[in-house]
């Protein structure tokens, strides 16, 4: 038997930085991604879809999108949908609980038997979190799927070992990952279906579980990707050279994507027009495009050898440490930014 594991649709997301037209389109795409999963299920003879939480994004979803979500379920009675709420949609009203092919969970373990498969799930709260592992009751003769919505850092994963779990279908983390739970089972985040911002770059999609073969496969499925490209313009001589280089680096990103250029390096020429020139060159290609300019003005360090100022003292101190060139330049860039009142990225 083949089963789809998906999570974190976040229907109703705000998309604050987008234009109004792009917001409307992207919100519609989130709902349509669910329809596309159902179409995929039909095309591949899959009759079970697991939704491991955060179908909706708090109370931001409008009634039309919510209604359409439930209409898709009602319109496909040959597919069984198992919907476990996550932290974003735990308080949202389920206005179609009586759909025959929609199976829900609550704050105690619930078990559904489908041929040789058991689907178990519980919605986590502060009241039941500590007892969830100890109250799970599975047997070794079934292919056991456990649905949960939680960050693995907050989930006592070791307490689920040797509980006869074959596949733990998790939600909450927005990138696909798979790890061994014990000698029998794995715990898997399907990730979100669509990247919604630059904290969600990379392939997005869902997982197909094969209970007979006891295998699973990640299926990339996003209608458009989110890309972040870091580009060093240190070796360019003019603004035109910089724009041309950045265009070349962004050329291979698919049209219609959500894209960001992070521009780094040190140059001698002014970059006040860089943002405008890049938008003129690249806005047409992407659904949404932005520039993060993290460059610094290239200094002639000799000019500061005898400079009586805080800047001169900082530069002389750094140069006296005899660091390797890359590390020296990075420290110089950060210090100069701080002296200019700019922010620095401590994660780089």
């Amino acid at each position: 038997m083949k089963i789809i594991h998906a999570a974190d649709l976040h229907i109703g997301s705000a998309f604050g930085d987008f234009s109004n037209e792009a917001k409307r389109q992207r919100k519609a795409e989130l709902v349509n991604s669910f329809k596309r999963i159902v179409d995929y299920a039909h095309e591949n003879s899959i009759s079970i879809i697991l939704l491991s939480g955060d179908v909706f994004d708090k109370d931001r979803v409008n009634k039309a999108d919510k209604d359409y979500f439930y209409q898709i379920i009602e319109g496909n009675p040959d597919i069984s949908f198992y919907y476990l709420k996550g932290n974003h949609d735990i308080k949202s009203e389920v206005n179609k609980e009586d759909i025959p092919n929609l199976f829900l969970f609550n704050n105690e373990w619930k078990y559904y038997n489908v041929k040789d498969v058991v689907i178990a799930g519980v919605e986590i709260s502060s009241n039941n979190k500590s007892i969830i592992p100890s109250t799970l009751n599975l047997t070794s003769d079934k292919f056991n799927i456990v649905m949960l919505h939680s960050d693995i850092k907050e989930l006592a994963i070791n307490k689920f070992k040797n509980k006869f779990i074959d596949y733990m279908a998790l939600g909450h983390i927005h990138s696909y990952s798979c790890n061994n739970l014990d000698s029998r089972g794995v715990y898997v985040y399907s990730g979100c279906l669509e990247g919604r911002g630059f904290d969600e770059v990379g392939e997005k999609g869902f997982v197909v579980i094969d209970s007979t073969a006891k295998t699973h496969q990640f299926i990339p499925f996003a209608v458009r990707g989110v890309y972040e490209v870091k580009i060093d313009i240190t070796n360019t001589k003019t603004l035109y050279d910089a724009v041309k280089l950045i265009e070349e680096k962004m050329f291979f990103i698919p049209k219609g994507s959500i894209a960001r250029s992070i521009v780094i390096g040190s140059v001698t020429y002014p970059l006040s027009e860089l943002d405008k020139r890049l938008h003129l060159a690249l806005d047409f290609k992407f659904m949404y495009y932005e520039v993060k300019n993290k460059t610094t003005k290239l200094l002639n360090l000799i000019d500061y050898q005898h400079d009586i100022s805080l800047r001169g003292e900082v530069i002389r101190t750094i140069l006296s440490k005899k660091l390797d060139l890359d590390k020296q330049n990075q420290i110089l860039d950060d210090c100069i930014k701080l002296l200019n009142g700019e922010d620095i990225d401590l994660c780089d």
Side-chain angles (χ1 to χ4, degrees):
M1 181 188 300
K2 290 187 177 181
I3 300 164
I4 287 175
H5 164 211
D8 297 287
L9 281 69
H10 284 277
I11 295 169
S13 291
F15 298 106
D17 293 329
F18 289 14
S19 67
N20 288 336
E21 181 181 349
K23 284 179 187 177
R24 285 192 292 271
Q25 182 176 350
R26 199 66 179 127
K27 285 185 176 186
E29 286 173 353
L30 293 187
V31 185
N32 196 56
S33 284
F34 178 56
K35 177 185 176 297
R36 291 171 58 237
I37 280 188
V38 174
D39 294 340
Y40 179 96
H42 280 297
E43 292 163 5
N44 292 274
S45 302
I46 298 172
S47 60
I48 294 176
I49 296 178
L50 311 179
L51 299 171
S52 295
D54 286 0
V55 164
F56 302 115
D57 196 62
K58 296 185 178 177
D59 57 352
R60 295 181 182 135
V61 60
N62 61 49
K63 186 175 184 301
D65 284 344
K66 182 175 279 193
D67 287 347
Y68 192 58
F69 169 80
Y70 288 111
Q71 288 166 14
I72 293 170
I73 293 175
E74 283 186 299
N76 293 275
D78 53 334
I79 296 177
S80 296
F81 298 83
Y82 294 82
Y83 170 27
L84 179 140
K85 294 180 190 175
N87 57 300
H88 275 256
D89 51 7
I90 194 69
K91 294 181 180 179
S92 68
E93 294 181 5
V94 177
N95 55 5
K96 288 285 185 179
E97 290 190 3
D98 57 343
I99 302 175
N101 59 323
L102 175 61
F103 302 93
L104 303 172
F105 299 86
N106 53 39
N107 60 2
E108 295 182 355
W109 284 108
K110 202 163 186 177
Y111 303 86
Y112 294 100
N113 289 273
V114 188
K115 297 181 180 178
D116 63 337
V117 174
V118 171
I119 301 169
V122 61
E123 292 169 351
I124 298 175
S125 69
S126 57
N127 295 327
N128 66 5
K129 190 173 183 178
S130 62
I131 64 169
I132 281 175
S134 63
T135 54
L136 176 63
N137 185 19
L138 300 169
T139 60
S140 62
D141 59 324
K142 298 284 188 178
F143 185 87
N144 296 310
I145 297 174
V146 169
M147 295 177 67
L148 291 171
H149 187 92
S150 178
D151 187 334
I152 198 65
K153 295 174 184 176
E154 300 175 6
L155 192 63
I157 196 68
N158 287 335
K159 294 183 179 180
F160 288 95
K161 290 183 176 182
N162 304 314
K163 294 276 187 178
F164 307 122
I165 298 171
D166 293 284
Y167 184 97
M168 187 177 280
L170 299 173
H172 190 61
I173 302 299
H174 290 186
S175 295
Y176 166 75
S177 67
C178 172
N179 293 279
N180 290 326
L181 176 63
D182 52 29
S183 59
R184 172 168 175 152
V186 293
Y187 60 95
V188 179
Y189 285 101
S190 64
C192 55
L193 282 179
E194 298 281 346
R196 296 170 300 137
F198 295 106
D199 56 342
E200 294 177 358
V201 298
E203 287 189 321
K204 305 299 175 187
F206 58 87
V207 178
V208 174
I209 308 162
D210 188 328
S211 66
T212 304
K214 297 186 178 181
T215 59
H216 71 276
Q217 179 184 4
F218 175 71
I219 308 295
F221 203 66
V223 70
R224 67 182 79 246
V226 180
Y227 298 84
E228 189 174 69
V229 183
K230 186 175 284 189
I231 305 160
D232 190 338
I233 63 168
T234 298
N235 293 325
T236 60
K237 303 301 182 185
T238 65
L239 177 61
Y240 172 73
D241 290 341
V243 172
K244 185 179 177 183
L245 174 64
I246 294 165
E247 280 187 281
E248 290 171 356
K249 298 292 185 180
M250 303 300 288
F251 176 79
F252 298 98
I253 296 176
K255 190 172 182 179
S257 299
I258 298 164
R260 171 192 277 172
S261 301
I262 301 178
V263 187
I264 62 170
S266 299
V267 296
T268 56
Y269 55 86
L271 287 171
S272 58
E273 293 282 303
L274 180 65
D275 191 285
K276 181 174 76 174
R277 299 300 176 190
L278 287 175
H279 279 288
L280 287 170
L282 293 169
D283 274 355
F284 79 96
K285 181 176 180 179
F286 302 118
M287 181 186 196
Y288 174 78
Y289 175 65
E290 73 176 35
V291 182
K292 290 290 183 183
N293 186 351
K294 296 190 174 184
T295 59
T296 57
K297 181 81 170 174
L298 187 63
L299 296 174
N300 184 354
L301 299 180
I302 296 174
D303 294 342
Y304 290 91
Q305 259 186 331
H306 305 292
D307 184 34
I308 304 174
S309 68
L310 177 60
R311 186 188 299 263
E313 187 63 32
V314 168
I315 290 172
R316 286 192 293 274
T317 300
I318 294 168
L319 293 176
S320 71
K321 299 300 181 182
K322 297 182 180 179
L323 304 168
D324 70 77
L325 190 59
D326 287 342
K327 189 169 184 63
Q328 174 185 286
N329 289 340
Q330 180 64 57
I331 294 172
L332 281 168
D333 283 349
D334 287 344
C335 288
I336 291 165
K337 282 182 180 179
L338 289 171
L339 289 167
N340 290 336
E342 302 176 37
D343 293 331
I344 63 172
D345 190 347
L346 297 177
C347 296
D348 286 347

